[in-house]
Amino acid sequence: MVRTSSPRRLRLLTALLACLVVFAAPATAAASAGPKGQLKVHATVDKSVVKVNEKVKIKGGLDVLSGKGGGHDAAGGLEPVLVQSLQAGVWVNVSTGWCRPNGGFNLSVSFDLAASLSLRVFHPETDLYASAYSGVFSLVVT
């Protein structure tokens, strides 16, 4: 006679394996992540007043302050930079670009409506660097 596992034993074994996966995976990921590098984001707008649908350039850069690789990604990778607008107390992404650590970026944005805007450039957290954002600057769209 062939003996099979009872459904109760199978459920218990499955639950134990699931717990092992749930608890082991984050610990492994956290151990390999290590400390993240620190960045300083700086940005300026080329004009403070523009017309509706007129493109405005936002120039800036990512300066590495500390962390992995002495400021250079071994793969020469690019880091994301987002132009954000403050709308009803929430920062909303309006444009996306890329920048090398210790490098510069040049982004163009335009707006469809007349408004007075508060903008900033944001670098979200990545595998190598912590999140950072620039100072806030104003743009008037007429």
Side-chain angles (χ1 to χ4, degrees):
M1 178 172 165
V2 177
R3 184 168 184 192
T4 60
S5 297
S6 70
R8 185 174 181 186
R9 284 187 190 170
L10 188 57
R11 282 192 299 253
L12 180 61
L13 182 59
T14 303
L16 287 173
L17 286 173
C19 287
L20 180 63
V21 169
V22 167
F23 290 114
T28 303
S32 66
K36 297 196 180 265
Q38 299 295 314
L39 293 173
K40 179 180 179 184
V41 180
H42 57 90
T44 59
V45 63
D46 68 343
K47 296 179 184 179
S48 59
V49 179
V50 294
K51 298 199 180 288
V52 171
N53 293 322
E54 179 181 353
K55 289 190 178 195
V56 62
K57 290 183 182 178
I58 298 172
K59 296 179 183 180
L62 296 178
D63 296 334
V64 177
L65 302 177
S66 67
K68 293 187 172 184
H72 298 285
D73 181 358
L78 297 172
E79 293 291 317
V81 288
L82 309 167
V83 176
Q84 296 181 321
S85 172
L86 186 60
Q87 299 176 13
V90 177
W91 289 104
V92 177
N93 298 340
V94 295
S95 181
T96 303
W98 299 92
C99 182
R100 291 193 192 288
N102 287 327
F105 58 83
N106 190 354
L107 305 169
S108 293
V109 294
S110 64
F111 298 93
D112 316 18
L113 301 170
S116 179
L117 303 168
S118 294
L119 302 172
R120 73 178 185 181
V121 175
F122 174 68
H123 171 270
E125 183 175 339
T126 62
D127 289 342
L128 294 177
Y129 297 102
S131 64
Y133 51 88
S134 71
V136 177
F137 47 94
S138 298
L139 178 66
V140 176
V141 182
T142 59

